[in-house]
Amino acid sequence: CPEGTVPIRRTTEKDVLRANKLRRFGKKPIRHLRRDSSGNGPLTTPQLLQHAVVFVNGDQYYGAKANINVWAPKVTDPYEFSLSQIWVISGSFENDLNTIEAGWQVSPELYGDSYPRFFTYWTTDAYQATGCYNLLCSGFVQTNNKIAIGAAISPRSSYRGRQFDIGLMVWKDPKHGHWWLEFGSGLLVGYWPDFLFSHLRSHASMVQFGGEIVNSRSTGGGHTYTQMGSGHFADEGFGKSSYFRNLQTVDWDNNLLPLNNLHLLADHSNCYDIRQGRNGVWGTYFYYGGPGRNIRCP
């Protein structure tokens, strides 16, 4: 784009007409959250949203970084999605939850297709009224004139084939307090101004990495066939299962640190699971995902 402008994905009449609920267009489903992010529980809900994630809490976090394997999981219901992302979280899990989120997602409702797309999200009230995807409301300030948020990511990984991942980092600028988003090596996409937030104005109390799907139970009351990650379980490993690698958090002085006291959560492990590891090349990593509905996940 020309100097002084940024690419914005055009919202068309078709986009809006696809929305399940017009007033919720561009927003995640409202969650019924019960736990405090300073306690032991991560960001989970009973049925609608399902996760396979790792998280750290109990400290002050000023950002997070990871490389996220990119796939095109099948999403079987137009109002469901499948995503893989980083969450930077603060506040209680009642009505004042603050989150910053970035990653890739397949969302037929939002984009009208089945491509994995680069996305951002934020909320300051547990997904109720504030925040949205990408640039669908004011909030996130894009500064990069080459990267389009909401654009399809290519190339994508294939089963037993070549693997591709994207590097993402979110961190807090110590001088101005804004939360910046970096794509790849050194490409600044933009920032979330500190005034958007209440709890995240100072720091995060939890960082979470992993996959999330919507299970609307539209297939005769059974579990959805929507896939997470590659659509294959974690134990299949490289080239078959989806991964996150080089997981790190950011401290107050903008140093990248390895993760300590990592917790794993797969809230429907017969449908989507997760396995974590560590080595000299990938640092802290994990495989995650699954096919959704199967013999063990009716």
Side-chain angles (χ1 to χ4, degrees):
C1 287
E3 198 67 34
T5 68
V6 296
I8 296 179
R9 190 175 182 273
R10 188 187 299 277
T11 301
T12 66
E13 186 181 357
K14 266 187 185 171
D15 291 333
V16 177
L17 290 174
R18 270 196 316 271
N20 192 9
K21 293 176 181 165
L22 203 55
R23 65 186 181 83
R24 298 294 305 166
F25 178 69
K27 295 182 182 293
K28 279 194 175 185
I30 296 174
R31 305 155 188 255
H32 302 288
L33 301 162
R34 291 182 299 277
R35 295 195 195 92
D36 189 284
S37 64
S38 60
N40 297 316
L43 203 51
T44 61
T45 43
Q47 286 298 334
L48 185 62
L49 290 164
Q50 297 180 6
H51 303 82
V53 296
V54 305
F55 67 96
V56 289
N57 60 0
D59 204 346
Q60 295 183 0
Y61 306 101
Y62 295 83
K65 184 177 184 179
N67 286 74
I68 309 175
N69 195 196
V70 179
W71 293 80
K74 289 186 177 70
V75 175
T76 54
D77 182 287
Y79 300 119
E80 295 179 346
F81 62 64
S82 179
L83 60 75
S84 297
Q85 68 169 51
I86 298 170
W87 289 259
V88 175
I89 304 167
S90 195
S92 72
F93 279 60
E94 298 296 330
N95 298 325
D96 64 344
L97 185 81
N98 289 200
T99 78
I100 284 171
E101 307 171 28
W104 62 259
Q105 69 177 157
V106 175
S107 175
E109 179 187 14
L110 201 56
Y111 305 107
D113 59 33
S114 299
Y115 298 121
R117 291 176 175 272
F118 173 47
F119 81 94
T120 63
Y121 200 90
W122 66 277
T123 181
T124 60
D125 60 358
Y127 305 92
Q128 293 177 95
T130 63
C132 63
Y133 283 111
N134 307 334
L135 304 173
L136 291 170
C137 64
S138 61
F140 184 80
V141 178
Q142 184 165 344
T143 57
N144 191 298
N145 68 351
K146 295 181 178 66
I147 294 174
I149 301 174
I153 300 171
S154 183
R156 300 175 278 277
S157 303
S158 58
Y159 189 73
R160 296 179 188 260
R162 291 186 67 188
Q163 301 300 298
F164 299 94
D165 59 40
I166 56 171
L168 292 180
M169 178 164 67
V170 174
W171 85 98
K172 192 169 177 60
D173 167 14
K175 188 175 178 185
H176 300 289
H178 305 322
W179 290 88
W180 281 87
L181 174 62
E182 181 180 298
F183 185 97
S185 54
L187 281 173
L188 296 179
V189 180
Y191 62 91
W192 292 268
D194 70 331
F195 62 74
L196 291 176
F197 303 104
S198 49
H199 299 288
L200 279 175
R201 198 168 289 190
S202 51
H203 57 79
S205 53
M206 179 184 282
V207 170
Q208 189 169 305
F209 306 83
E212 175 180 82
I213 65 101
V214 175
N215 173 32
S216 61
R217 293 195 171 272
S218 58
T219 50
H223 194 282
T224 183
Y225 286 100
T226 287
Q227 299 174 336
M228 181 189 292
S230 68
H232 292 263
F233 286 115
D235 60 2
E236 291 197 42
F238 185 77
K240 300 172 185 177
S241 180
S242 189
Y243 64 80
F244 277 57
R245 64 180 174 91
N246 297 118
L247 272 59
Q248 294 171 296
T249 58
V250 181
D251 72 4
W252 64 273
D253 203 21
N254 271 9
N255 296 307
L256 286 164
L257 305 175
L259 272 60
N260 289 320
N261 301 321
L262 205 57
H263 305 275
L264 274 73
L265 173 94
D267 47 27
H268 292 73
S269 58
N270 288 333
C271 314
Y272 315 101
D273 68 355
I274 187 163
R275 286 192 179 188
Q276 179 246 327
R278 184 172 179 81
N279 65 33
V281 180
W282 276 20
T284 301
Y285 68 88
F286 62 87
Y287 290 103
Y288 71 102
R293 191 171 182 178
N294 63 76
I295 294 167
R296 295 187 301 131
C297 172

